[in-house]
Amino acid sequence: RPTKTMTRYLNNASNRAVRRILLAKSWPSPEALNESFRQSFASKKKEKQQLPFFLSKKKKKQQRSDEKYIQDQLSNFRITYGSDDDAAAMIGYDAAEAYLECVLSLATSGMESSRVQEILGDSAAYKESYRRLVGVLERVGVEWIPYDNDNDRKRKIASKLLDRDICLSIIDKLRSSNINGQEKKGGENSNNGGILVNGNDTVTMTRQLN
């Protein structure tokens, strides 16, 4: 029997996905992230102990692909909340599974799942949940770019986070606006969230804090 409700399970998965996405974007590469974990374990444990299986160099197991990881998570979710043997399977399981697959896809590959349209329909149960998840990511700097030429509605997370206006002063905003206007006239494109610094631009205290 499940120890927590299906919606609580999905909420926990959504929060883990946000943390995983932001953490991954804070390191130059997955390898660098793993190396930081190794150093952290080494500093805390001076005695020779085997590292967790996902960091160990002794066992050269083939790492799971993103697809395999997602399928394993969905399989566990199905066993817990949507087993065919359970005559009283929870109502709305299919919609919940589609939502979870979309969340896991963002957390691993950074790409929207092919099932995203299932949860964005007019009567979809998890439509607002997915929108809130996307909204949280966008507020902390996530940018979306299309990845499927045949379907522009499918997107993926860009490689870098945008800088957001957290504590810019009015002077900073005006200066950024002026620089944006000058660059547009010159035909240059800038994709840094409106936070511009060039060789001739003095960095104010509020911009430095931002």
Side-chain angles (χ1 to χ4, degrees):
R1 294 181 179 180
T3 57
K4 51 190 171 185
T5 65
M6 185 167 64
T7 51
R8 183 175 292 275
Y9 181 100
L10 294 175
N11 191 70
N12 290 346
S14 301
N15 279 280
R16 288 196 301 270
V18 171
R19 297 185 187 108
R20 180 170 179 171
I21 290 168
L22 296 182
L23 188 61
K25 298 301 179 183
S26 301
W27 267 260
S29 66
E31 292 75 17
L33 177 59
N34 285 339
E35 181 60 28
S36 69
F37 281 136
R38 292 189 183 97
Q39 293 177 1
S40 177
F41 276 106
S43 63
K44 292 180 180 179
K45 298 182 180 181
K46 295 182 180 180
E47 298 180 0
K48 293 183 179 181
Q49 294 182 356
Q50 185 177 355
L51 292 174
F53 73 95
F54 58 90
L55 297 177
S56 176
K57 292 183 179 180
K58 296 182 180 179
K59 296 183 179 181
K60 295 184 178 180
K61 289 185 178 181
Q62 185 176 3
Q63 293 184 350
R64 285 186 298 180
S65 64
D66 291 339
E67 293 78 8
K68 183 64 168 64
Y69 171 79
I70 292 174
Q71 290 306 315
D72 289 345
Q73 295 299 311
L74 292 177
S75 178
N76 293 334
F77 184 71
R78 190 175 300 113
I79 291 172
T80 304
Y81 296 103
S83 175
D84 294 334
D85 297 331
D86 185 2
M90 291 187 175
I91 299 174
Y93 169 79
D94 290 340
E97 184 186 275
Y99 173 79
L100 178 60
E101 184 172 337
C102 291
V103 170
L104 293 173
S105 181
L106 291 179
T108 52
S109 65
M111 296 182 178
E112 283 190 327
S113 168
S114 58
R115 302 185 68 181
V116 70
Q117 296 306 320
E118 294 182 36
I119 59 174
L120 291 179
D122 293 336
S123 59
Y126 292 92
K127 179 179 180 179
E128 293 304 320
S129 298
Y130 189 76
R131 285 182 171 178
R132 282 194 293 270
L133 173 65
V134 170
V136 169
L137 292 173
E138 290 176 345
R139 282 195 294 274
V140 293
V142 165
E143 182 188 19
W144 303 92
I145 56 177
Y147 77 91
D148 187 348
N149 293 331
D150 297 329
N151 186 356
D152 292 336
R153 300 183 70 179
K154 292 170 65 176
R155 307 171 299 174
K156 67 178 180 180
I157 297 174
S159 59
K160 295 183 178 180
L161 298 177
L162 298 175
D163 283 340
R164 294 303 188 192
D165 176 7
I166 298 176
C167 58
L168 289 179
S169 67
I170 295 178
I171 295 177
D172 288 321
K173 295 177 183 179
L174 290 174
R175 181 177 296 163
S176 295
S177 178
N178 291 335
I179 295 175
N180 274 325
Q182 293 173 5
E183 291 196 344
K184 287 181 180 179
K185 290 181 180 179
E188 298 180 3
N189 290 324
S190 178
N191 193 18
N192 58 5
I195 312 304
L196 301 173
V197 178
N198 58 33
N200 299 321
D201 190 17
T202 303
V203 179
T204 63
M205 180 175 66
T206 52
R207 177 167 294 187
Q208 185 69 27
L209 293 173
N210 192 73

